[in-house]
Every structure is written in C-alpha cells, then in structure tokens.
Amino acid sequence: MGRIIALRRATWTVFLGLGLIAAALPARVSAHGGHEDEELVAAASLGTSGTLRLNAKSDDFELVAVPHGRMLTIYLDRFADNHPVTDARIEVEVNGVSLSAEASADGTYLLSADWIAAPGEYDPVFTIVTPEQSDLLTGKLVISSASRTGAVFAGGNSMLAVPSGDSKINLALAFLLGMLTMWAIPKARGVNSAAVVAELEARAARSTARVRAAADAALVTSRKTARQYRRTLSRARAQLAMRANERISQIRNIVATFSLGPRPAFLSVRKKLLRGSGITSLTLMSFGFFFVALLLIFLGRGVFAHGTGADDADAAKPPTAVAIKTAEAAAGPKRLLDGTVFVPKSAQRLLEVQTTVTQIGEAARSLRIAGQVIADPGTSGQVHSSIRGRVVPANGVWPRVGQPVRAGEVLAWVVPVINPIDRGIIFQQLAQIDQEIALTQERVQRVTDAKASAREIDDARSDLANLSRRRAAIALVLRDRDTLRAPLLAPSEGLIAASFSVAGQLVDEQQKLFEVVDPKRLWVEAYAYDITAIGVVTGADATSSVGQSYKLKFVSRGPRLQKQTIPLYFQIEDPDTSLSVGSLVSVLVQAADRRRGVILPRSAVVKDSSGQSIVWQHVDAETFAPLPVHIEAIDGAQVLILAGVKANTRIVVNSAYLLSEIR
C-alpha cells in the first residue's frame, strides 16, 4: 500500500510539474544570443504583415514605414508607377522632435530613434524633398506592448519573447495535465489504517532480515563480532519500531481529521485540495506556482529565457541589417483568404512591380487573322539554269546559305555536257562542212583560172569563208566548252535563302538552283474570311510565335478568293533577324471604326487558374487584388479593356504574371 501511495505521489508531482512548464512556456524563447538568434526571432516576430507597418500616400508619393527595434525602415515610391524614389531627403517629426532619415545603398531610408521601441500611438509627419518636388505625408503608427515584445530587442545573451498563438495549445495541455493530476491524487475516504500498519510492519520485517543477513555475514568473518551483531540488531529493531509507531499515529490523526464534522472554510478547502494520504505543504506550494503561472499568461507578461544585468542593456540595441532583411523576408508575399495578395515593399522592388493609372481612351476596332511571312516580290528572286549542263562553283567557292550577295554577282556556272549521240551529230556536221569547203575551194580556183568576172570570184570566196566559220563554231563545242558555259547571276541584293543544287550536279534547262531574299524587305500575306468585318484597313500589327510585335503597312488586297479567303498583303516596316520567310504570324488588322475603353499594355493582362483574363489592381501600398476583365486586342503591344476596370485605377503593368504565382 505504501508503494502505491508513493507511486501516486510521484505521478502527481510529475503531472503538476509538466503542467507548470507548459503553462508558463513562452511561444519562442532563445537560450543564447548571437546574430543567428536575432535573425530567426526577428523573422518570426514580423511574420504578420499588419501590426507594425505604417502606410501613407499622396498624389505623388507612397510611403511604407516598418519598425525593427529602434530602427525605422522607410520605403518611398512614386504613387503612379510604383517606381522607387532614391534621391529624396526625408525628415520625420514625432512629438515635436524632428530627425532625418539616412539613405541606404538598397534604396531605402533608415531612421534610428528611442520612441520606436516604446509602446504607444504615434503620428509621425514625413517631410519629403526631391530635386523635382516636395510633399508632406502623415500616418499613424501603433506600437502596443504586445507588438513591442513581439519585436526583437536583441543583443548579448538575452532575447525577449512573448507567448503567441502557440500558447493556446500550451494552456490546453496544462488543463489536461491538471485533470490528470487530480486523478492521480489518492482519495482520503478510502484509507485503510490496518492495511497501512501491516505494510509498515512488513517493511520493518524486511529491513530486519537485511540487517540480520549483514550481521550473519559479519559473524562468519569473525566470531568476535557476535556481541556487536546482537547490539546492532537490537538498535535496528528499536528504530524500526519507533518509526512504525510514529507513522501509524500520523495516519490515525489524518483519518480522524477527515472523519470529523463541519470545519471552518479554510479546513474545507484544505480537505478538497489535500484529499489523500501523506500530502504535505508541497501540494499548496505546487498549486500556488500553478496559478501564478496561469496569471502570468493571462496578463500577457513576457518571459526571459535567461540573463539579467548587463544583458538588459544589450536588449535595447537595434537589430542588425541582416536581421532586418531576414525579418522582411519572413513577412514575404502571401495570398490572403479573400484572394488578394500581400506583397511587402521589399518584395515589390525585387520583383520590379510597376503600375500605371488608367485613363479612358479610344482605339480602332481590330480583327485578328492568320498570316505568313513572305519575301518582297520586287527585291527577291530565284536563280534558274538557262542551259543543260554541269554546275561548277565560281572562283572555286560554292555559295552557302545565308551568304550576302550583290545584284548581278555570279553565284556559279553551268557548263554544257555533250552526250555520244550529240557528239556523232557534230562529227557528221563537221564532215559535211569539210566536203562543202573542198567543193567551194575548187570552184574558187576555177573561176580564178577562167578569169571570170569579179562578182563570181567574190561570191565563191564569200561562200568559202562562211563554211570555215561554221566549222570553227561547231568544232569549238568539242574543243573548248568553257567558252559556252552559262553564268548564274543573283537577281537582287540580299542573302541566299535556299540552295537546291551542289557542285558538279547535272541540271536541266529552267531548273531552280538558288533563292535570294532581302531580309530588310519582307511582306506578310494574311487571309481574311470576312472582309466586310474589316471595312477600310487603317493599320495592322503582326505578332510572331515568340511574342515579338511588328508594325505593318497595308499594301494591297487580292481581287479574287484563294481557298475561300481574301489575301491581304502588308509590308513589315522594321523587320529584324529573328523573322524568317515562311514563319506564321498573327495579324491584327485595324478598321476605321473606333471603340472606347481603358488602354493597357498586353503584359498587364494575365490568366488565372480558371483561364479568365484578369489584371492586378494596386489597392494599397502592399496589397493587390485581381480584377476580371473583358479585353479586345488593339495591336501586338496593347489591349483595350472593355469592362472590369474604371478610370483612375492603379493597375500593375509589369510582373503581373509573378503576382499570379503567389500562393
């Protein structure tokens, strides 16, 4: 029975101690100092966005101030485009005291003051002076005791922390352990004094046996110790009997006390608290500590991990720059439950978020059609062979694709090739001509000898000369074919876009061998199914597959259908090297009629998870909200917002797709 009581007493003590620790445990306690602890606790304390941030704005500027210990970090941006202002001079006035903020290398401004670390409500006045203009901003900064202790005042070996939302779990755990404690306390009304006495006598018997065994061992060692053995045994029995009688008397007094009638109020409380055997004043002390810990939690008092004296002086030191940056990173971008996105100023500058103030304007109605890049027919061309023969390079260098050429430049040669049948025909013609030459020579000799008239002699000599020239021309084909080769000339200035032959290839007459394209003179051939929807074409833009936009100049339209479409021809005003002949483009044809709406860059419109077109509104300094919109393309760089956005609304035009990725 005594062991059971001792076990219950130990269990009760353990449960009560755990309850005290859990109840008094702060949310975050640092056991040692150092820069690493400063960064971690600063990041944890500034994880919530709204408690220690001041927002102020005017028509020109937007300001966000974030305190960190004794340091106030100020972010200053242009209100319209959210562009950081880094060349300003800022003075902060609080309670009649004016201090100047120092500009840092990262474009922010830092102010060090004692009031930043003191709880209270402050109405700072910010005087902003830039080379172009000046302004005056006011705001309210509320620093409560909870928010102050939630911030970090780090230095040395001490760090102040206060229970946060995690303390609710600690309180629940403390309550559960308290219930287990009450269960573990032994009840008084079921105490059996006879059983306790029997247990004590049994323990005395076991002790006597141990003493006897020890004395027997000593007796075996030396017979001289027999008298000492008997003396020791008698002394041990007397001590055990005295202790047993005292214990029995205590138990009987406790039983008699709880069995009496009504008692004063403090005795009834004592009866409820000390409902067990062997409960001493330690119980009252433990319960007192338990309730003191609960009072400390409910009153919101801070708990120091350790360190006093010199550590308290270090606690007022401002946090390091690394701690401030780590804290700002902890309070990073996050999507809220209502769909809006919180993006601190530090993250906005990292993402390069830019905005614009919307205005209502007019834009031409547009129609999107498909198109293809083609070469300018007037400045590009193809090279064909004029004879049948073998292609040989000019100057020993074969023209390559992409090589720049000039108009009239020789690209290659085509040397005629004679087959055996043609060779036989040539030999037959040569033999026939040789025979005619022999007959003509005889005739010239006869008329000369017969002293014919001068006319007959001249006719004979002329026929002989003609036959000689015919023979020389035919013999040239067999003897020197290089003089009969045909040049392949570039039709215009540009680049060789395609090559359809290789050196030594036999080609036929009128076969296409090269294609020359001027990359600075490119056209777009588009296909419109409904020309009535366009009406009068006033302009056009083309967008390539990689998103590059090009301005088009309308040239003409085809007079007849091609595959049930009307061909429209446009000239690209400023093409670049990324365009290739044959590339598919999307053409936005602008008609004469105009429509009203908000004109925004195409980069401002993104898709949400459901595929709906949205834009991001800059609601507050660090808050952005998605707005569903109905858009119509104007050209490759702009869109017309027909519904969803009103005038004088700040809309994100740069990095809008990054805001959509925040979760």
Side-chain angles (χ1 to χ4, degrees), residues 192-496:
N192 190 344
S193 58
V196 174
V197 173
E199 176 67 20
L200 293 176
E201 290 178 352
R203 290 173 59 184
R206 287 193 296 270
S207 300
T208 303
R210 286 195 298 270
V211 174
R212 186 184 298 275
D216 290 341
L219 184 63
V220 171
T221 303
S222 176
R223 291 291 183 179
K224 295 180 180 180
T225 60
R227 183 179 302 171
Q228 182 179 0
Y229 160 71
R230 287 191 295 270
R231 190 182 305 112
T232 302
L233 182 60
S234 301
R235 190 182 302 110
R237 286 179 176 177
Q239 291 178 356
L240 290 175
M242 182 178 62
R243 292 176 56 187
N245 293 331
E246 293 178 355
R247 186 63 175 168
I248 292 172
S249 300
Q250 291 177 0
I251 293 174
R252 288 176 177 175
N253 292 334
I254 292 173
V255 173
T257 301
F258 281 104
S259 62
L260 295 177
R263 289 299 202 188
F266 72 93
L267 290 180
S268 62
V269 173
R270 181 173 181 267
K271 175 181 179 181
K272 294 179 181 179
L273 294 178
L274 307 180
R275 187 177 295 172
S277 61
I279 305 299
T280 63
S281 60
L282 178 62
T283 303
L284 288 175
M285 295 174 62
S286 300
F287 272 108
F289 286 132
F290 182 84
F291 286 115
V292 168
L294 290 181
L295 289 177
L296 288 176
I297 291 176
F298 286 121
L299 292 178
R301 297 286 300 275
V303 179
F304 284 98
H306 61 80
T308 56
D311 296 338
D312 295 335
D314 295 336
K317 294 182 179 180
T320 62
V322 178
I324 294 176
K325 292 183 178 179
T326 307
E328 284 294 303
K334 57 179 67 67
R335 187 180 293 270
L336 306 180
L337 296 178
D338 58 354
T340 59
V341 173
F342 169 76
V343 184
K345 280 296 181 180
S346 57
Q348 292 182 34
R349 298 189 176 186
L350 182 64
L351 300 178
E352 296 182 355
V353 177
Q354 300 295 323
T355 62
T356 186
V357 179
T358 59
Q359 300 293 335
I360 302 297
E362 289 186 353
R365 184 172 178 269
S366 60
L367 178 66
R368 185 181 296 274
I369 57 178
Q372 185 178 14
V373 178
I374 63 174
D376 187 348
T379 59
S380 302
Q382 299 175 348
V383 180
H384 296 263
S385 175
S386 59
I387 63 174
R388 184 177 182 274
R390 178 178 288 107
V391 183
V392 296
N395 301 324
V397 179
W398 185 256
R400 66 184 185 277
V401 176
Q403 174 183 335
V405 295
R406 298 184 303 272
E409 182 180 349
V410 178
L411 303 181
W413 297 90
V414 180
V415 179
V417 177
I418 303 175
N419 55 36
I421 298 176
D422 294 337
R423 186 182 295 273
I425 295 175
I426 292 174
F427 282 130
Q428 181 182 358
Q429 292 178 353
L430 288 176
Q432 184 178 357
I433 293 174
D434 289 340
Q435 183 181 2
E436 292 179 358
I437 290 175
L439 293 175
T440 305
Q441 288 177 350
E442 292 178 358
R443 186 164 63 86
V444 171
Q445 187 65 33
R446 280 196 310 270
V447 296
T448 302
D449 294 342
K451 297 181 179 180
S453 61
R455 181 178 180 181
E456 292 180 355
I457 295 174
D458 293 338
D459 289 342
R461 290 177 178 177
S462 178
D463 292 341
L464 181 61
N466 290 334
L467 290 174
S468 298
R469 286 193 297 270
R470 287 178 58 190
R471 190 186 188 285
I474 295 175
L476 184 63
V477 177
L478 300 176
R479 185 178 64 253
D480 188 10
R481 295 192 301 272
D482 290 340
T483 58
L484 301 177
R485 62 185 181 179
L488 300 177
L489 304 178
S492 62
E493 183 179 357
L495 302 177
I496 298 178

Side-chain angles (χ1 to χ4, degrees), residues 56-74:
K57 61 182 179 180
S58 65
D59 295 337
D60 299 321
F61 298 104
E62 185 173 56
L63 183 143
V64 174
V66 183
H68 305 276
R70 296 181 61 255
M71 190 70 67
L72 186 68
T73 304
I74 302 174

